[in-house]
Amino acid sequence: MTLRECAAGSDPLSALWRDYLDGRMTQAVLFIGESGVGKRTFARLLAQALLCDSEKDAEKKPCGSCRGCRRFLARTHPDALFPAPLPKEKTIKIDALREMIDSLNRHSLEGGRRVVLIENAERMTPQAQNCLLKTLEDGAEDTYFILTCDAESALLPTIRSRCRIVRVQPWEAGRIEQALVKRGIPADRAKALSVFCEGSLGRALQMQDDASYWQARDTVKRSFLAVRGMGTLPAAAQALKDQKDNGDRLLDILEQEIRALLHAKSLGGDDRSDDFPPAWQEAPAASLCRILEAVLTARRQKYANVGWAALSEGLMQTISEETKTWQV
Ligand SMILES: [Zn+2]
């Protein structure tokens, strides 16, 4: 995906994209928005575009295949820095920032652009934030700082005031659906994507291009959603065979599907996925909530190393018992 595609439909992102094209990028940009609205996708693409060596015009960047892009994606680009929490830690500590500053100093004579990408910047400790602030104030030439943040209030006001703030808002499902149809995506897919992209057109487009996503959706439809009474269990179990490595994704999709169905029910509208057999569409909310609980239990079991066959069968048993109570 290019920056242009990712910015589509969002005024603040489009404005930033135009400034990038005109060479008017501010040195520090802070993306603020709820989790899942697409700010991280855009921030990563922007960082990659700044380091893309392709001869193509800026409008087509990042190209994804030049040396700069490949090294950025592999996280081996010497001029791309990603201060982040250490493994098993939740906060970004001052050491990570000091390491970044050392690295910036080391490369300062090499020329060329450098990009510092700090995702979940609110995770920086106050000491780390102060350290970053100092660097922002010094403003090294040709160095870009790109930050993303879910919780604005956790960032020092002095950091916020040093950055161009780009607020990324989630889109309504209907607007995303229209935008997708306009791009030639078939209506049924556009509808499904609009429900599951969590308000991010960029994510919807990514999902559209990801064949493995559609295969996983189909597997969920043929397994968990096809369960209706004991007789249907063997076929459903068969669909889940050899899906162990895909288990997290299948559970994610099932959870998203059920949440979207519950949401649609609460609104009384028809913003729902067509993946569900008719009986599910009429299922009582309390029963769907119990299934949702079972999905969460299955996920916990997966983390606790319970085998995929055992946990998926357990989940299908629960679904089977719930479907029995539906008066449809
Ligand atoms: Zn490139």
Side-chain angles (χ1 to χ4, degrees):
M1 187 164 46
T2 61
L3 268 179
R4 183 176 66 88
E5 285 164 338
C6 192
S10 160
D11 296 340
L13 291 184
S14 297
L16 181 64
W17 177 68
R18 279 193 300 274
D19 285 349
Y20 155 83
L21 285 184
D22 297 344
R24 286 190 283 125
M25 265 286 296
T26 25
Q27 257 195 313
V29 182
L30 169 61
F31 293 96
I32 297 176
E34 283 171 39
S35 171
V37 293
K39 59 188 185 308
R40 193 174 60 180
T41 308
F42 191 85
R44 286 183 182 177
L45 283 170
L46 179 61
Q48 188 183 337
L50 286 167
L51 295 171
C52 174
D53 316 312
S54 152
E55 301 286 314
K56 286 181 190 164
D57 54 31
E59 194 154 332
K60 294 191 178 124
K61 288 189 177 186
C63 72
S65 54
C66 71
R67 185 153 181 262
C69 281
R70 286 202 316 272
R71 291 201 296 177
F72 178 86
L73 292 170
R75 299 225 164 184
T76 56
H77 199 300
D79 292 327
L81 303 170
F82 306 90
L86 290 171
K88 295 193 183 164
E89 285 190 4
K90 290 206 167 102
T91 54
I92 305 174
K93 302 236 161 72
I94 191 166
D95 290 345
L97 274 292
R98 286 197 179 124
E99 203 179 299
M100 172 203 86
I101 292 167
D102 277 353
S103 188
L104 288 180
N105 289 338
R106 265 202 308 280
H107 288 284
S108 60
L109 296 175
E110 285 191 6
R113 237 172 221 174
R114 288 162 306 170
V115 176
V116 179
L117 177 60
I118 309 181
E119 293 179 359
N120 299 311
E122 71 276 15
R123 291 196 186 178
M124 283 187 287
T125 61
Q127 293 85 345
Q129 293 191 34
N130 273 313
C131 188
L132 173 67
L133 183 62
K134 184 92 189 47
T135 319
L136 290 177
E137 281 167 349
D138 292 347
E141 206 183 324
D142 246 359
T143 302
Y144 293 90
F145 294 86
I146 300 172
L147 284 67
T148 72
C149 162
D150 295 353
E152 183 179 358
S153 57
L155 277 183
L156 293 177
T158 38
I159 291 213
R160 281 182 269 156
S161 67
R162 287 262 156 201
C163 297
R164 169 172 178 170
I165 294 191
V166 179
R167 288 180 198 281
V168 189
Q169 305 284 356
W171 286 29
E172 283 172 17
R175 198 173 155 211
I176 291 186
E177 189 179 340
Q178 279 177 5
L180 294 172
V181 170
K182 241 189 201 167
R183 284 156 183 264
I185 293 171
D188 55 335
R189 273 210 173 186
K191 185 170 182 184
L193 286 167
S194 72
V195 174
F196 296 113
C197 67
E198 294 174 44
S200 159
L201 180 62
R203 181 176 296 173
L205 290 167
Q206 238 172 3
M207 287 157 79
Q208 159 65 11
D209 291 340
D210 180 359
S212 66
Y213 170 75
W214 295 100
Q215 277 162 10
R217 284 273 302 258
D218 187 55
T219 304
V220 168
K221 197 172 163 181
R222 288 185 294 110
S223 56
F224 299 115
L225 301 187
V227 169
R228 189 85 210 269
M230 299 299 278
T232 58
L233 285 177
Q238 183 63 27
L240 289 175
K241 221 175 139 237
D242 306 324
Q243 291 289 330
K244 187 175 126 235
D245 294 340
N246 210 11
D248 285 331
R249 189 171 213 185
L250 298 180
L251 293 177
D252 283 351
I253 291 174
L254 179 60
E255 181 184 341
Q256 276 182 333
E257 294 252 27
I258 297 173
R259 284 193 193 281
L261 184 57
L262 277 165
H263 182 66
K265 274 180 187 290
S266 73
L267 295 179
D270 63 350
D271 246 2
R272 60 180 61 158
S273 155
D274 294 330
D275 282 355
F276 288 102
W280 281 77
Q281 314 270 12
E282 305 305 326
S287 182
L288 292 175
C289 287
R290 285 192 291 273
I291 295 176
L292 195 55
E293 281 286 315
V295 179
L296 303 180
T297 304
R299 184 174 289 125
R300 277 197 295 275
Q301 288 174 329
K302 194 159 184 303
Y303 287 132
N305 289 324
V306 175
W308 170 245
L311 73 85
S312 58
E313 270 167 36
L315 179 51
M316 285 192 290
Q317 288 282 357
T318 305
I319 297 175
S320 169
E321 277 153 31
E322 288 300 330
T323 57
K324 264 193 263 171
T325 66
W326 302 348
Q327 303 299 316
V328 251

